[in-house]
């Protein structure tokens, strides 16, 4: 078969193989516990707001909860960026992309001044959001250019450390989008809050316990003969 066909297939198979072998039952249970904790925390905040009869006001589209969410995911983004500054190898690239994703989420959560749901408070104009998006991308690109961190020669040298916590957070945020389509704004905002809390705690552990996520500190995986074609040290 042509190399243009076999190479992408080989890369995909190797990524799946390494990703599965790097995962442990302990890691899966820890991530599930984190998700449940964040869901309970977000639901508790919602219940507290309902207790004081402010739930409908706080947990609404462009309501105060969105600024709380922006703050939480913004701190997560800064912590991911700090990881990218401090560490190298896979942690650098993964955290840099996560920091960009969190930054874009902040812009998404801050209400647009022209939104039909906006009725006062902090907001961003469309040009303001566009300008900040450019700054976020520039901050990521500049750090990547300055540090010029080498990557792996083999996929088996990677840990795919972001798969479980980021995957769970992404799944929660997708569910939040579904709730929005069903016009369940309270559930949407509660789920978004939980998803951002998962990212925040993940970013904290990356800074405090980076060795948990570094494949170089894990047992080596058996070779399969597959090598990243353009990788260098």
């Amino acid at each position: 078969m042509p190399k243009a066909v076999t190479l992408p297939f080989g890369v995909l198979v190797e990524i799946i193989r390494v990703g599965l072998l790097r995962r442990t039952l302990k890691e899966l249970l820890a991530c599930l516990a984190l998700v449940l904790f964040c869901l309970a925390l977000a639901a508790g905040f919602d219940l507290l707001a309902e207790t004081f009869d402010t739930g409908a006001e706080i947990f609404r589209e462009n309501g105060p909860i969105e600024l709380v969410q922006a703050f939480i995911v913004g701190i997560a983004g800064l912590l991911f960026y700090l990881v990218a500054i401090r560490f190298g190898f896979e942690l650098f690239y993964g955290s840099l992309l996560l920091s960009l994703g969190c930054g874009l989420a902040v812009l998404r959560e801050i209400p647009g001044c022209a939104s039909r749901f906006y009725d006062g408070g902090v907001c961003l104009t469309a040009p303001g959001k566009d300008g900040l998006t450019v700054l976020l991308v520039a901050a990521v690109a500049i750090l990547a250019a300055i540090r010029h961190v080498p990557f792996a020669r083999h996929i088996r040298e990677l840990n795919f450390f972001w798969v479980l916590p980021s995957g769970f957070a992404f799944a929660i945020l997708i569910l939040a989008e579904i709730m929005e389509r069903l016009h369940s704004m309270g559930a949407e905002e509660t789920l978004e809050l939980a998803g951002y809390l998962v990212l925040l705690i993940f970013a904290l552990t990356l800074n405090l316990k980076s060795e948990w996520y570094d494949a170089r500190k894990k047992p080596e995986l058996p070779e399969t003969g597959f090598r990243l074609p353009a990788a260098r040290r």
Side-chain angles (χ1 to χ4, degrees):
M1 293 181 67
K3 190 174 181 179
V5 175
T6 59
L7 182 59
F9 180 74
V11 170
L12 179 61
V13 169
E14 184 69 354
I15 287 174
I16 293 173
R17 183 186 82 92
V18 172
L20 290 175
L21 290 177
R22 287 291 183 200
R23 305 284 73 80
T24 65
L25 179 60
K26 183 178 179 181
E27 182 185 13
L28 176 60
L29 292 176
C31 283
L32 283 173
L34 170 61
V35 168
L36 292 175
F37 170 76
C38 291
L39 285 170
L41 196 61
F45 184 55
D46 189 4
L47 181 61
L48 183 64
E50 291 291 346
T51 300
F52 288 95
D53 200 27
T54 57
E57 174 63 22
I58 294 175
F59 285 83
R60 61 179 173 81
E61 188 71 17
N62 286 351
I65 189 61
E66 297 206 341
L67 292 180
V68 174
Q69 293 167 353
F71 177 78
I72 290 172
V73 76
I75 295 298
L78 289 174
L79 289 172
F80 283 129
Y81 199 77
L82 182 59
V83 172
I85 292 174
R86 295 175 60 200
F87 304 109
F89 203 59
E90 184 186 8
L91 290 176
F92 170 77
Y93 290 101
S95 298
L96 198 57
L97 290 175
L98 285 167
S99 71
L100 177 60
C102 287
L104 295 175
V106 170
L107 297 181
R108 179 184 180 277
E109 294 303 332
I110 296 177
C113 299
S115 171
R116 61 189 179 90
F117 294 104
Y118 175 70
D119 57 4
V122 177
C123 70
L124 280 173
T125 62
K129 289 201 175 193
D130 291 341
L132 289 173
T133 300
V134 172
L135 287 177
L136 286 172
V137 174
V140 168
I142 289 170
L143 184 58
I146 291 174
R147 294 210 59 198
H148 196 63
V149 174
F151 204 50
R153 290 180 299 180
H154 304 277
I155 292 176
R156 58 186 168 82
E157 295 174 345
L158 303 177
N159 185 40
F160 298 103
F161 67 90
W162 44 268
V163 167
L164 282 179
S166 300
F168 278 126
F170 184 69
I172 292 172
L173 294 175
I174 288 294
L175 184 57
E177 286 297 312
I178 294 173
M179 290 298 103
E180 182 183 22
R181 297 294 183 272
L182 297 175
H183 305 290
S184 181
M185 299 307 177
E188 176 209 351
E189 302 300 345
T190 301
L191 287 167
E192 285 186 348
L193 180 61
Y196 295 148
L197 285 170
V198 171
L199 290 174
L200 176 61
I201 297 174
F202 177 34
L204 280 170
T205 61
L206 268 175
N207 278 278
L208 297 174
K209 291 290 184 180
S210 64
E211 65 273 13
W212 289 355
Y213 306 99
D214 194 336
R216 294 170 296 180
K217 302 182 186 300
K218 308 289 183 183
E220 283 195 26
L221 295 179
E223 293 190 39
T224 61
F226 186 86
R227 177 176 293 218
L228 291 171
R232 300 177 301 172
R233 281 214 185 271

